[in-house]
Amino acid sequence: MPPSSTARARATVFAPRLAALLDDHLGQDVFRLEPDTIGVAGHEVADRILAARRATETERPTFKPLHGRSITRTEASVVTRTIGNDVREALARPRPLPEAVDLAGSWPLTGHLFLRDLILGQDPYRLRMLMSRNLELTPKLTWSVIAVGAALPGWPRPDARLTDLANRAARARGYQERRYAMGLYRRAAAPVCFTVSTLVANALWLGSPFADGTSNRNIILESLRLLPPSWNILRNASPEYPAVDGRIGERDDVLLLPLLSHRDPALWDAPDAFRPERWDRLDPDTTPGYLPFGHSSERCWGRHMVMPLAELLLDLVRGSGLVVDPGQRVGRVPLLGLLGVEEVRLTRPR
């Protein structure tokens, strides 16, 4: 089905460096970006690079070292299961959603706040405040808030009403352990709320209003294609990579770019068009060049939370009658680690 005329009237404007990547390298497989960095958009080369070795602790998007302390794969797995259980419990509650929730306003902020309260609403304020999008402005601000929160008296105690993630933090003893626990709470919970709200905002901007028969799953998959929140994957220089492709030097870092492979005209029909129906016949786990959650050798830890939450949130918006403000014609995509439209205004139809 063709996109609505309303959606076609909107212009998505990428930050200059993102626009340059699309203009200069779309359709290329391997190219030099910087004197010490090779860009990779070809799906076959990308597959071989990502399969060559696992990500190191500094290359992992979420579980990088925290306060100079390594996060083991075992601990990362435990924390992942913990926040996953909290998400499932939030969705399984008899009445998990407010009857009169108002999702009008500026997105993705509105959706982020809704998800924060849905999943983490009973947790102590000093933990929930770590979900603030303002903390994205600078790491120094984040660590200052964590330092203060860990030092304040009245550290929370384990309680059945709290999320499992909060109870894990509540068991921390001593200032350093509390500081680490707060940092891990943010590392685990914030990406879920940030990513899902951004993904739904992107989908609304790119394609709404949607035809009644269009599935939320297909809409989300297509949004992930055109505006992948994880638009690049960094791998530091490694001896495996020159063997994969001779254009990669021994000292070259490698930047893999789903932003480009997701729009490669050799892989996609009408690559710039928002067509959710293409996913009726495509498998997102095996489609060449489609890497919204990373490579099959090491999938993103949060994908099993992101998809159901995104579909739920999108379903709420579609059922609410809200529309993208007809007066908003331009959506700007800044150069950030989490790719998305900066602001999408949802309003009631006039």
Side-chain angles (χ1 to χ4, degrees), residues 193-312:
C193 298
F194 289 172
T195 302
V196 171
S197 57
T198 297
L199 178 52
V200 173
N202 290 347
L204 294 166
W205 176 256
L206 291 168
S208 67
F210 309 108
D212 290 342
T214 309
S215 76
N216 290 323
R217 172 189 175 275
N218 285 2
I219 291 169
I220 296 300
L221 291 173
E222 185 70 344
S223 176
L224 280 165
R225 185 182 72 83
L226 287 172
L227 288 174
S230 297
W231 63 275
N232 71 83
I233 304 169
L234 175 65
R235 290 292 182 265
N236 295 318
S238 186
E240 294 90 348
Y241 300 149
V244 169
D245 192 288
R247 290 167 288 186
I248 303 173
E250 293 180 358
R251 298 183 179 180
D252 284 331
D253 294 332
V254 178
L255 192 68
L256 300 108
L257 293 159
L259 175 69
L260 299 184
S261 67
H262 286 194
R263 293 173 181 255
D264 188 339
L267 299 176
W268 306 93
D269 294 330
D272 293 325
F274 185 83
R275 292 185 176 177
E277 67 275 11
R278 74 174 80 231
W279 295 103
D280 287 336
R281 64 183 187 280
L282 296 177
D283 181 347
D285 288 332
T286 60
T287 296
Y290 188 65
L291 298 170
F293 297 112
H295 189 255
S296 58
S297 63
E298 198 168 11
R299 294 286 190 207
C300 170
W301 62 271
R303 68 185 179 123
H304 295 301
M305 290 173 274
V306 167
M307 287 300 294
L309 280 173
E311 290 180 47
L312 167 70

Side-chain angles (χ1 to χ4, degrees), residues 326-346:
Q328 183 180 0
R329 299 297 187 188
V330 175
R332 302 193 181 279
V333 180
L335 181 62
L336 296 173
L338 185 67
L339 192 73
V341 181
E342 186 171 56
E343 181 187 30
V344 179
R345 298 191 299 272
L346 293 191

